[in-house]
C-alpha cells in the first residue's frame, strides 16, 4: 500500500515537471507555525534555556508547482538520545487536499544532543542526506524544537557518562543551527554579517554564562567558528576555536583549528600547520571571559 502511494506521488510529480514552463522544480520549505516565527524573532538567551511550549508542531515541504506536504506532529515518544515522532501527513495539489496518511520518524541525537540521523521507521535512509537541502533544514529545525522540549535546563543536556560537552569537527553543511535576533544581546551584531539574526550551535551554559558556537558567514572561509560567551544579555567574551585559514594561492600552508570542551568547561584549542601542532588551554571565568592558561 505504501509502495502504491509512493508510485502515485512519483507519477504526479513527473506530470508537474512536464507542465512546468521552466523545466525544473525548486524545492522550498516554509514553517507553518506562526508562533515559532514570532518566538524566533524575540528569542533571548534566557528563554533558549527553558522548555518552550510554543515550538513548531508542523512544517511544510513544497514538492513542486502546486504540490505541498504538511507534516503535523501528533505524538512524541521515547527518551533522548532517541525520539520517535508520529506525523499526520497531508498532501495538497493546487491547494486542494489530495491525500492524508501517517508516517513515523526516528530522531537520533549524539552525546551533545545534536541531531545526526532522521529516518522513516523501518527504513535506513537518513533524510538529512537523501532529501533536498531545504527539506533537510526543515527537519533539522523540527529536531531542534524536540531538544528544547525534552531537555530540563538547556537546549543541549550533557550525559552523566560523557567526558566532553563538545569534541568533534563541526560540519558547516550539516550543523544543527538555531537562530537568534541580534537585538536581544548587546554585541551580537558583530557576528551577524549585518543581518538581523545570527546562526549558532547552542552549547550547555556554565552557571550564568551561555555559550554559542557561531559561524563566520561573511568571511573569506566557509569553515570558521567563534565560541561566544554571553552574560547578562551582552557578549562577554569570544574565542576563535575552529576553522581554517591560509594566504591566497598558498593553501599548502593551511592552518587548521579544532577544539573541545570537557565537563568542567576546560577548553582545548589545537592549532595545526604543515610544520607544527600547538595546543592552547583556556578556562571560562564566572563573568564570561576566556582566560588562557
Amino acid at each position: 500500500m505504501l509502495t502504491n502511494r509512493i508510485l502515485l506521488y512519483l507519477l504526479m510529480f513527473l506530470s508537474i515537471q512536464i507542465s512546468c514552463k521552466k523545466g525544473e522544480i525548486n524545492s522550498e520549505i516554509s514553517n507553518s507555525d506562526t508562533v515559532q516565527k514570532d518566538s524566533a524573532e524575540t528569542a533571548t538567551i534566557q528563554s533558549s534555556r527553558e522548555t518552550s511550549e510554543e515550538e513548531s508542531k508542523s512544517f511544510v515541504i513544497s514538492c513542486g508547482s502546486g504540490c505541498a506536504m504538511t507534516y503535523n506532529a501528533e505524538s512524541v515518544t521515547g527518551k533522548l538520545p532517541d525520539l520517535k515522532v508520529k506525523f499526520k501527513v497531508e498532501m495538497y495539489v493546487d491547494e486542494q487536499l489530495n491525500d492524508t496518511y501517517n508516517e513515523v520518524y526516528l530522531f537520533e541525537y549524539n552525546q551533545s544532543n545534536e541531531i545526526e540521523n532522521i529516518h522513516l521507521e523501518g527504513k535506513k535512509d537518513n533524510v538529512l542526506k537523501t532529501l533536498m537541502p531545504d527539506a533537510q533544514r526543515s527537519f533539522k529545525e523540527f529536531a531542534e524544537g524536540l531538544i528544547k522540549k525534552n531537555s530540563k535546563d538547556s537546549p543541549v543536556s550533557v550525559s552523566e557518562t560523557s567526558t566532553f560537552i563538545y569534541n568533534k569537527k563541526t560540519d558547516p553543511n550539516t550543523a544543527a543551527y538555531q537562530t537568534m535576533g541580534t537585538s536581544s544581546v548587546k554585541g551580537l551584531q558583530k557576528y551577524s554579517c549585518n543581518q538581523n539574526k545570527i546562526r549558532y550551535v547552542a552549547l550547555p551554559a556554565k552557571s550564568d554564562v551561555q555559550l554559542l558556537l557561531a559561524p563566520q558567514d561573511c568571511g573569506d572561509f566557509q569553515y570558521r567558528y567563534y565560541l561566544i560567551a554571553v552574560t547578562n544579555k551582552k557578549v562577554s567574551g569570544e574565542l576563535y576555536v575552529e576553522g581554517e585559514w591560509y594566504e591566497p594561492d598558498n593553501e599548502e600552508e593551511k592552518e587548521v583549528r579544532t577544539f573541545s570542551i570537557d565537563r568542567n568547561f576546560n577548553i582545548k584549542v589545537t592549532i595545526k600547520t604543515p610544520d607544527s601542532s600547538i595546543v592552547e588551554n583556556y578556562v571560562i571565568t564566572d563573568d564570561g571571559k576566556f582566560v588562557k592558561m
Side-chain angles (χ1 to χ4, degrees):
M1 181 175 175
L2 179 60
T3 302
N4 292 337
R5 182 183 289 118
I6 293 174
L7 290 174
L8 176 61
Y9 293 162
L10 286 173
L11 290 174
M12 187 179 301
F13 184 73
L14 289 173
S15 176
I16 293 171
Q17 280 189 309
I18 294 173
S19 62
C20 183
K21 294 181 180 179
K22 295 182 179 180
E24 62 179 349
I25 295 176
N26 295 321
S27 296
E28 296 180 353
I29 302 173
S30 62
N31 192 321
S32 65
D33 194 331
T34 304
V35 176
Q36 185 189 38
K37 293 181 180 178
D38 295 338
S39 177
E41 292 289 344
T42 60
T44 62
I45 294 295
Q46 286 74 18
S47 64
S48 71
R49 296 184 201 165
E50 300 173 356
T51 299
S52 171
E53 296 181 356
E54 297 181 349
E55 291 302 322
S56 174
K57 294 182 180 181
S58 66
F59 54 91
V60 178
I61 294 179
S62 175
C63 49
S65 177
C67 175
M69 292 181 291
T70 301
Y71 285 74
N72 301 291
E74 292 191 326
S75 66
V76 179
T77 57
K79 185 178 180 181
L80 290 173
D82 299 314
L83 299 175
K84 180 186 293 188
V85 182
K86 179 181 179 182
F87 289 101
K88 177 183 178 182
V89 184
E90 298 175 334
M91 183 171 184
Y92 292 84
V93 177
D94 294 332
E95 300 183 357
Q96 298 295 320
L97 182 61
N98 182 265
D99 194 8
T100 301
Y101 54 96
N102 292 324
E103 287 185 346
V104 177
Y105 283 85
L106 302 181
F107 289 71
E108 300 173 355
Y109 299 81
N110 59 23
Q111 287 187 339
S112 297
N113 279 356
E114 294 177 334
I115 190 64
E116 284 193 338
N117 192 313
I118 303 174
H119 60 91
L120 194 64
E121 188 175 38
K123 304 293 182 180
K124 295 183 179 180
D125 293 339
N126 185 358
V127 303
L128 299 180
K129 295 181 179 180
T130 59
L131 294 184
M132 296 293 290
D134 285 345
Q136 294 180 26
R137 188 177 304 115
S138 185
F139 270 98
K140 284 181 183 178
E141 291 174 355
F142 181 86
E144 292 168 6
L146 291 181
I147 282 293
K148 291 182 180 180
K149 289 187 176 187
N150 288 276
S151 298
K152 293 182 178 179
D153 302 315
S154 168
V156 181
S157 62
V158 183
S159 170
E160 291 297 327
T161 60
S162 175
T163 304
F164 294 96
I165 292 172
Y166 202 85
N167 184 27
K168 67 174 186 175
K169 179 179 179 180
T170 309
D171 188 339
N173 296 317
T174 61
Y177 293 116
Q178 299 183 40
T179 60
M180 181 187 303
T182 56
S183 61
S184 62
V185 175
K186 183 178 180 181
L188 204 59
Q189 182 70 32
K190 174 183 176 181
Y191 310 94
S192 69
C193 300
N194 297 318
Q195 301 298 314
N196 294 327
K197 298 180 182 179
I198 69 161
R199 300 188 303 159
Y200 68 96
V201 176
L203 302 178
K206 179 187 178 183
S207 298
D208 295 327
V209 182
Q210 180 68 22
L211 298 177
L212 313 176
L213 184 62
Q216 189 181 30
D217 288 331
C218 54
D220 295 330
F221 302 92
Q222 180 188 20
Y223 177 44
R224 276 176 81 85
Y225 287 87
Y226 278 84
L227 185 63
I228 303 170
V230 176
T231 310
N232 297 323
K233 294 186 179 182
K234 67 178 180 180
V235 174
S236 54
E238 69 167 33
L239 189 63
Y240 170 42
V241 292
E242 184 177 4
E244 59 185 22
W245 178 89
Y246 53 86
E247 293 286 354
D249 303 322
N250 191 21
E251 189 172 352
E252 293 181 356
E253 298 297 321
K254 180 188 298 184
E255 175 196 278
V256 179
R257 294 194 181 209
T258 56
F259 81 108
S260 65
I261 307 177
D262 67 20
R263 290 184 59 194
N264 295 318
F265 290 91
N266 297 309
I267 303 170
K268 182 174 74 174
V269 179
T270 303
I271 307 170
K272 291 185 177 181
T273 66
D275 302 320
S276 66
S277 179
I278 301 172
V279 175
E280 296 180 348
N281 295 290
Y282 297 84
V283 295
I284 308 170
T285 64
D286 292 339
D287 58 352
K289 304 294 183 183
F290 297 110
V291 178
K292 187 175 182 180
M293 302 301 290

